[in-house]
Amino acid sequence: IEPSSGRILGMTSYSAIDPNWAKRSAYELYPMASLFKIITASAALENHKITPETVIEFRGNSYSENPRYWDISPRGRNNRMVASYAMGKSINPVYGRVASDIAGKTSVRASVSRFGFNQELLPGIPAKPSQAGEPINNHGLRLMGAGLDHDVKISPLHAAVIMSAIANGGKMMVPGLTSSIVDASGVEKEMFTPRELRRLVTPETSASLTRMLSSTVLTG
């Protein structure tokens, strides 16, 4: 996607098993997994609870999938990691704790809504609405924050639109799937015009997320 306009520059998929899958693959829903850490981080950044340089303590293995072991010990000797580095390495306990102990459930749920889940985000485009239920307890919130809630699902198109918005200073553009529509007489109609869909995050949060996500390819 061209971030500034929303124009789709390329879209492809392939299945040797089901050729028809390619026609709908960009619009179907799949587990979001660790991409959800971006939403978790945005919830904390938007509320000035963290910066990319914030050091976050945690217990348990970096890739632990059991929030029961993530609580920090009051005696010290906890693991410590900078938020940016933890994004690059996709550290589950860090972003599970950011969701539950730093950003909080209300902020995470607000980010979920702002990012376009559980709603018709892309009118006129056959993408299924992305899904993210409400965590029933702190354990569930941590799983969600770390990207381990397998019921959080998103379409590839929606995921690409989110990433494009972060690259566009936080402004989400309507994805342009066509340049124009040509009628039976050969006249072009409905020419593509860039349109802002909504603002996901502030420019400051967008800049912070960009720095944090850059660590995925620099050190992750």
Side-chain angles (χ1 to χ4, degrees):
I1 300 181
E2 184 176 62
S4 61
S5 70
R7 187 188 302 274
I8 303 294
L9 302 178
M11 181 185 288
T12 188
S13 56
Y14 172 77
S15 172
I17 298 171
D18 180 8
N20 291 321
W21 174 81
K23 299 175 183 177
R24 64 179 188 273
S25 60
Y27 310 122
E28 295 287 337
L29 300 183
Y30 310 93
M32 190 177 189
S34 281
L35 282 177
F36 195 90
K37 289 182 172 77
I38 297 166
I39 297 178
T40 304
S42 76
L45 289 164
E46 286 282 272
N47 291 283
H48 308 291
K49 297 292 184 67
I50 66 168
T51 70
E53 292 75 33
T54 297
V55 176
I56 298 166
E57 294 189 68
F58 66 97
R59 293 181 69 200
N61 183 279
S62 296
Y63 301 104
S64 165
E65 297 185 1
N66 191 339
R68 213 169 18 155
Y69 302 113
W70 299 352
D71 284 310
I72 59 174
S73 169
R75 299 179 181 178
R77 289 193 275 182
N78 301 298
N79 298 316
R80 296 165 58 86
M81 192 173 291
V82 174
S84 287
Y85 187 79
M87 179 68 78
K89 293 290 188 181
S90 194
I91 305 301
N92 293 332
V94 167
Y95 282 94
R97 289 203 62 243
V98 168
S100 66
D101 304 341
I102 297 175
K105 180 179 178 179
T106 299
S107 293
V108 172
R109 291 296 299 163
S111 276
V112 164
S113 179
R114 191 166 59 249
F115 274 69
F117 286 78
N118 308 316
Q119 58 197 273
E120 292 286 349
L121 179 69
L122 306 171
I125 296 174
K128 293 181 178 179
S130 296
Q131 302 171 358
E134 182 174 351
I136 59 174
N137 51 34
N138 199 55
H139 184 96
L141 179 59
R142 286 185 170 185
L143 288 175
M144 174 180 274
L148 297 169
D149 183 343
H150 303 301
D151 291 327
V152 176
K153 296 183 178 181
I154 191 170
S155 68
L157 180 62
H158 184 188
V161 169
I162 285 175
M163 300 308 296
S164 183
I166 294 170
N168 192 36
K171 290 192 296 184
M172 176 183 278
M173 307 299 288
V174 176
L177 291 163
T178 58
S179 297
S180 63
I181 304 296
V182 181
D183 66 16
S185 60
V187 177
E188 282 191 312
K189 299 180 177 180
E190 300 182 38
M191 302 291 290
F192 172 73
T193 303
R195 288 187 295 128
E196 183 178 339
L197 187 61
R198 63 175 60 178
R199 174 168 285 283
L200 292 191
V201 292
T202 63
E204 293 75 19
T205 295
S206 173
S208 293
L209 284 171
T210 298
R211 289 167 55 197
M212 294 168 76
L213 290 166
S214 295
S215 69
T216 303
V217 292
L218 295 173
T219 62

